[in-house]
Each structure stands twice: as structure tokens, then as C-alpha cells.
Amino acid sequence: MNKAAASLSLLGLLSLALTAGAPGAQAQGNKLRACFVYIGPANDGGWTYAHDQARKAAEKALPWLETRFVESVPEGQATPVLDRLARSGCQVIFTTSFGYMDQTAEAAKKYPNVIFAHAAGYKRGSNLATYMADFYQVYYLNGLMAGALSKSGNIGYVGTFPIPELKRHISAFALGVRAVNPKAKVNVKWISAWLEPTKARESAEALINEGNDVLAFTEDTPTIVQTAAARNIPVFGHYNDMFRFGPNSVVSGQIVHWDKIYIDFLTKVHNGTYTNKNLQNVDYWWLLNKGAVEVAAQPGVVINPKFAAQLKAARMTVNGKPVSVYDRVMALNADMKSARPKFDPYTGPIKDRNGILRVAAGKVASVADLNSMSWMAPGVTGAVADEPKK
């Protein structure tokens, strides 16, 4: 966390509280007021930037909506922010980081007339929904490409925290890598921060120096794309269009469209479908076929054309037949974008990296299983403290 940014955010929040009127004040006119709590600065170029772009898109699409946001709120300091937003007339409050979960649940009980929605979590209530635009399908497709492009069989991954979200994403990535190269490894370095460009760069440099010749990551800035580009290493963008930071290195990536969820959710609040009494079972889990996520180097460009020839030449075996990795990516992407996908990366049998069966043959991991995932897939290296041993 950038301490300077955090201080500025608190000053901004104080200003918001002073200008929003007395506790319980409503939005101006008949507009619905939705407020957003961000973990990083709105211009971080990654996770928070994606949420802020979606906030702006929702406000543009919904003329009866007004929005506010508070940025750079540390996960352990969300409670006073939520108190002030609720008391200043916010009718809907989105909290956009996993670590806000308990504080959001407490605020939802404290302010029963306010609607809350928490990203990436699993605790819900009558006035608390959850939502996620999830990337596990996209990571699998990125993994297929990474497995084909790596000459060393060592692929580096910079991760933030070993929470279920990252475990399912990294594991899906590794399942894709090993579908192409069964002996390849995904070597993970954890940085224990969502937004820490210095640690991200140092970890990426270390992974490259250790022989990893393709990189992927979870961190809230384009730092790793820039680092990979400087070393001419293939890399996958994360959360946004990061092509401009490495046009010769970005192979593909994960792009999110949070606006799809925000517009749908807020529309249903506005028309009375969602109220502060009926959100107990409202859990958005939107994937490729909802358009909430996209596998792409740039919007609409699945694979950077600079890597197309390599991926077309690379071969993998599918149902006993050789196919090009390029064609496999395109076919699975089309399938998973369809209304009724036939393929899911978490179709069993799948054993974890300790040899324990986690998804039985013919079964598909449930959303609940994925949201509470504690194990890591074969091929992933790097310690995980809470990894189950049986």
C-alpha cells in the first residue's frame, strides 16, 4: 500500500462526508447513488482501474445513476470508510477487494437499509450480494499458450496472496500449461501485496534469472508486463488491455468487463428486483459466456499476431489426435463463450500436486468448490501455508 495515496484517500473521504449532507441524506433528485471502495488508486492500470472504468461506463449507461468512490483503502481500514459512505447517503455500496469481506458483512448488518455488494467473497445476507467476473477459463487458455511458448519448461508466476481466487487461477493456468507440456512447471513467487510494483518487478526479474522464459501474474499494475518487455520475455496481461506496455511481449491475457455486472445489478436495484430484503442468494459468477471476461491481448484480439505462427506450429494431443495449440485455444474459447459450454478446465479426474484426487472422473468442480479452493494443481511450485495434506 502506498502510504501517501492512502492519506490522500482519507482526506478525500473526509471531504466526501462533509459535502454529502447529514447522515441518511439521499441522492440528489431521483438518482440512485452508488459508491465504490477501491483497494488501490483509480489509475493503477490494473484491478482498480478496471473497476473505475466500469463505474464510469455504468454512470454513462444509466442516466438515473450517480456514483462516488474512495480509493486506496487498506483492507484492514474499510470500516470507517463504509460508515461514512452509508451515513452520507450511498444507497448501494460496492466493495472491490476480497479482504473487505468481513468488514462489508459487518456494515451490512449495521446499515440494513443500504444495499452492499462485495467482489470476490462468499459471505452474503439479505442486503449483501456477492459478485465475481472470474478468469479461471481464461487462465486455462493462457496456460495452453504459455506451455507452447516455453522452451525451458519453466514458467514464472508472480502472485499476491494464496487465497482461493489465486489458487484456482494459477491451478487452471498450470492445467493448461501441462495439457501442452506435461513436464512443465509453473514457478510461483508470492509478494504478499495487491499493489506493490517494486516487489513485483524484483520477483519477475528473479524468475527470469532463474530460467523462467514466460511470465504471468496477479498484481494490480502493468509492472510485470513492462519488466518482461524489457527482457523480451513473453507475458500475459492481467485485468486490462496491457498491450501498449509490451506490444512485442504480450501474448494474450485476461481482460475484465466489470461494467456488465454493475449495469445489470444496478438496473435490478433501480427497478425493484433487488432490494435490501432479498439478496441472500444473489451471487454473480460471470464467466466468458456472460461477456464479463475476455481472453485477449487487446479487446477483440485473442492472440497477439506476433505469436500466431509459433502457436500454429505447436502441437498438442486432444482425444488422441494432434492439433495446433492455436486452433485448440480458438476452439475452446468459442465453446466456453457459448450458452452451453461443453468444456470446463476443472473436469475430473484431477489430482492435486500431492496426488490427492480433488475432482472425480466425469465431475466438474462446483462454484462452491472453486470459491473455497485450497489445493494446487500438479506442476505448480511454491509454498502455500494452508495447503491441505489429505
Side-chain angles (χ1 to χ4, degrees), residues 111-388:
Y111 302 101
N113 293 325
V114 177
I115 288 176
F116 292 83
H118 174 235
Y122 52 82
K123 293 186 177 180
R124 289 182 290 280
S126 61
N127 63 331
L128 170 58
T130 50
Y131 65 102
M132 185 64 181
D134 200 75
F135 280 142
Y136 81 89
Q137 298 167 318
V138 178
Y139 267 104
Y140 181 85
L141 299 177
N142 286 171
L144 293 176
M145 295 180 239
L149 294 173
S150 176
K151 296 177 181 176
S152 70
N154 284 291
I155 295 159
Y157 197 104
V158 178
T160 51
F161 299 96
I163 61 174
E165 175 188 341
L166 268 79
K167 290 175 182 175
R168 70 174 175 269
H169 289 171
I170 295 171
S171 291
F173 183 72
L175 290 171
V177 166
R178 285 210 158 185
V180 176
N181 181 351
K183 295 182 178 179
K185 295 179 180 178
V186 176
N187 302 303
V188 181
K189 288 189 182 297
W190 302 103
I191 62 173
S192 299
W194 292 111
L195 191 149
E196 187 54 77
T198 299
K199 284 185 178 179
R201 186 184 66 254
E202 292 173 349
S203 295
E205 291 281 7
L207 286 165
I208 295 170
N209 292 338
E210 291 166 5
N212 294 279
D213 56 3
V214 179
L215 292 183
F217 68 99
T218 304
E219 198 264 347
D220 288 355
T221 72
T223 300
I224 292 167
V225 169
Q226 294 168 314
T227 303
R231 299 283 295 270
N232 198 29
I233 296 290
V235 66
F236 294 84
H238 183 57
Y239 267 104
N240 289 296
D241 174 5
M242 294 187 173
F243 183 80
R244 64 188 183 280
F245 299 106
N248 293 317
S249 290
V250 172
V251 181
S252 183
Q254 317 101 43
I255 295 179
V256 68
H257 300 288
W258 289 112
D259 55 297
K260 303 287 187 184
I261 292 177
Y262 288 142
I263 290 173
D264 186 86
F265 187 88
L266 289 165
T267 298
K268 288 175 177 171
V269 171
H270 187 251
N271 68 20
T273 301
Y274 292 159
T275 74
N276 62 333
K277 306 291 186 185
N278 66 2
L279 300 182
Q280 182 67 52
N281 298 315
V282 175
D283 176 30
Y284 283 68
W285 177 259
W286 282 17
L287 307 173
L288 281 167
N289 63 0
K290 288 286 190 177
V293 296
E294 179 181 6
V295 54
Q298 295 178 284
V301 181
V302 175
I303 297 172
N304 183 343
K306 292 182 182 296
F307 294 93
Q310 287 175 265
L311 294 173
K312 287 179 179 178
R315 290 288 188 270
M316 61 185 293
T317 301
V318 179
N319 297 324
K321 298 179 180 178
V323 300
S324 83
V325 173
Y326 183 96
D327 289 344
R328 182 64 171 165
V329 168
M330 294 301 183
L332 291 182
N333 186 40
D335 173 72
M336 290 190 284
K337 288 171 67 176
S338 68
R340 295 180 180 275
K342 297 178 181 177
F343 177 83
D344 189 288
Y346 281 109
T347 301
I350 299 176
K351 294 182 178 179
D352 68 16
R353 64 181 179 178
N354 296 312
I356 301 169
L357 183 67
R358 295 299 180 185
V359 185
K363 302 293 184 182
V364 178
S366 68
V367 174
D369 290 339
L370 295 176
N371 266 326
S372 60
M373 190 167 161
S374 56
W375 50 273
M376 301 295 279
V380 179
T381 74
V384 174
D386 64 345
E387 185 175 11

Side-chain angles (χ1 to χ4, degrees), residues 65-77:
L65 178 69
E66 68 175 40
T67 67
R68 296 184 177 187
F69 68 92
V70 183
E71 59 187 337
S72 299
V73 178
E75 289 181 327
Q77 300 178 30

